[in-house]
Amino acid sequence: MARMSKGAVVTGSGQGLGKQIARLLSDRGFTVLATDVDLAKAQETAEEIGGFALAVDVRDHAQVQAAAAAIVERAGSLDVWVNNAGVLVTGPAWEQDEAQRRLMIEVNSIGVMNGTVAAINTMKDAGGGHIVNIASLAGLVAVPGEAVYAGSKHAVLGFSLSTAADLHLAKIRNIDISCICPDGIWTPMLHDKLEDPAAALSFSGKLLTAAEVVKAVGQVLDKPRQVTAVPRWRGVQVRALDALPDLALKALPLAVGMGRRTQKKLVRKGLQP
Ligand SMILES: NC(=O)c1ccc[n+]([C@@H]2O[C@H](COP(=O)([O-])OP(=O)(O)OC[C@H]3O[C@@H](n4cnc5c(N)ncnc54)[C@H](O)[C@@H]3O)[C@@H](O)[C@H]2O)c1
């Protein structure tokens, strides 16, 4: 098919970070397919940014593949695929039911695998492209209160880095995979967790705006990078904690206290993301 424009797909782009990433890609001249499990929200995004929308539950590989086919049909090529859809249920794993644990693994981990595989199969013989996987700082370090979520995001890192290596060994050099690992972001995901002590660690750093994370996405689009923590210094900090797990446990009450104070302050202020 003749090349018409650059095509991009963003999963979970009905609200929050995904919506802002879809806007960035549209501003950069991509034809954007906004997808979400909630079609009405995806359509809202598409209308706002001038793209088009499709209902895609990232847990369903057939729906994900249909999105890859739809962008090629509309734009002529798939150049950027952003795996952004994610869910967070807090609490110790033993207090969650099986459905909650399964949901996080299926959306956050298998969803990223589905998107990455569909993108690679579409891009590899068609000029290549860039896959951006939205992981989390929780993909780099232990996060008590968010254990299953952290497990699902560690899977994103392990899978993405290993798949990038497989592409390299297979001499498929026209596809990049970049992971973004943000600290807590002020989006509806965390707004829903303001009264939830188990989510305290998500609030223990300086809360990021979606715009700050979108900026990091823009930077890796310009220059692919396998792992980018946002902010960068938090990436260094959590890797040091990984190396010193006993010290990390001792520092935990301090971090939880900081997070709780931020949660209470945000409740008092009554701010919306
Ligand atoms: N908010 C944070 O503090 C934070 C920090 C680090 C990483 N992240 C990650 O950033 C990404 C975006 O998060 P957000 O804060 O914008 O969350 P959000 O809850 O505001 O938005 C998530 C979007 O994903 C969609 N979604 C949920 N399940 C889906 C499914 N099965 N298929 C397709 N779409 C689905 C939702 O409908 C929603 O539109 C997620 O991967 C999240 O884990 C968020």
Side-chain angles (χ1 to χ4, degrees):
M1 182 179 295
R3 197 175 179 86
M4 292 179 271
S5 68
K6 292 181 294 177
V9 175
V10 186
T11 69
S13 54
Q15 67 177 29
L17 179 62
K19 185 173 193 164
Q20 302 309 323
I21 294 172
R23 193 187 304 279
L24 167 82
L25 290 162
S26 178
D27 289 348
R28 288 192 173 202
F30 287 84
T31 298
V32 178
L33 171 52
T35 74
D36 202 286
V37 70
D38 183 332
L39 178 60
K41 282 187 178 170
Q43 281 170 332
E44 227 175 82
T45 298
E47 269 166 39
E48 281 179 32
I49 67 167
F52 68 114
L54 198 64
V56 175
D57 184 333
V58 295
R59 293 170 290 180
D60 182 334
H61 189 63
Q63 291 183 30
V64 173
Q65 273 181 312
I71 190 69
V72 174
E73 172 78 25
R74 181 72 69 104
S77 66
L78 170 62
D79 299 274
V80 171
W81 182 289
V82 183
N83 286 304
N84 165 81
V87 288
L88 167 64
V89 184
T90 58
W94 67 87
E95 288 179 7
Q96 294 176 334
D97 58 36
E98 201 234 338
Q100 291 170 321
R101 295 194 297 272
R102 185 175 288 279
L103 176 72
M104 281 183 274
I105 296 297
E106 287 189 350
V107 176
N108 301 354
S109 311
I110 296 177
V112 169
M113 294 175 193
N114 285 340
T116 302
V117 168
I120 289 173
N121 285 333
T122 309
M123 291 168 173
K124 73 179 162 49
D125 299 320
H130 194 169
I131 299 163
V132 179
N133 291 337
I134 307 299
S136 169
L137 218 52
L140 296 172
V141 70
V143 187
E146 300 179 5
V148 177
Y149 178 80
S152 73
K153 293 296 187 176
H154 273 69
V156 171
L157 264 294
F159 167 75
S160 303
L161 293 172
S162 304
T163 302
D166 277 335
L167 287 169
H168 188 81
L169 290 177
K171 298 197 174 7
I172 299 170
R173 302 284 162 86
N174 59 358
I175 298 176
D176 292 298
I177 302 181
S178 298
C179 288
I180 304 284
C181 301
D183 201 352
I185 318 164
W186 186 230
T187 64
M189 181 180 270
L190 284 198
H191 185 259
D192 291 349
K193 303 286 183 288
L194 281 179
E195 313 266 7
D196 179 356
L201 279 185
S202 282
F203 295 85
S204 63
K206 185 179 168 291
L207 266 196
L208 297 163
T209 61
E212 287 172 294
V213 184
V214 169
K215 189 174 167 204
V217 172
Q219 285 166 347
V220 302
L221 287 175
D222 293 336
K223 191 172 179 211
R225 198 163 185 271
Q226 292 204 58
V227 183
T228 300
V230 188
R232 294 268 177 101
W233 71 267
R234 280 284 266 179
V236 175
Q237 186 191 49
V238 300
R239 284 178 176 112
L241 291 172
D242 283 340
L244 302 164
D246 292 336
L247 181 71
L249 275 182
K250 286 197 184 117
L252 206 51
L254 190 72
V256 170
M258 281 164 60
R260 288 295 291 143
R261 278 195 293 282
T262 301
Q263 283 176 302
K264 287 174 187 161
K265 197 162 78 187
L266 287 165
V267 170
R268 275 199 307 277
K269 286 187 174 170
L271 297 176
Q272 297 291 322

